[in-house]
Amino acid sequence: MMLRYGEKLDLDKNLWDAIVTYMNDDIREDVHFDLAPCSEEEFLDEYVKRDPEFEKLLHEEFGIEMEE
């Protein structure tokens, strides 16, 4: 589950598009190849596993916290 400012987050297209711009292209494409089709949350969970520093960026730039 993802939280934003302490509340459950439902990603909308504008927020998702903004998050994607920060992703590493190679990692993003690898995750897409391995998981598509999947939800944005599933994608982001896997992306953070492959790029753990991205979780810090999500928190600092978007106020998003990843929770299990």
Side-chain angles (χ1 to χ4, degrees), residues 12-46:
D12 64 27
K13 181 168 175 21
N14 291 331
L15 179 57
W16 180 249
D17 289 346
I19 291 169
V20 168
T21 64
Y22 286 89
M23 291 180 175
N24 173 287
D25 292 339
D26 293 330
I27 297 171
R28 187 186 71 241
E29 290 300 318
D30 287 345
V31 173
H32 176 76
F33 180 79
D34 292 342
L35 292 185
C38 64
S39 70
E40 286 90 351
E41 187 169 348
E42 291 170 320
F43 188 97
L44 204 50
D45 284 340
E46 182 61 27

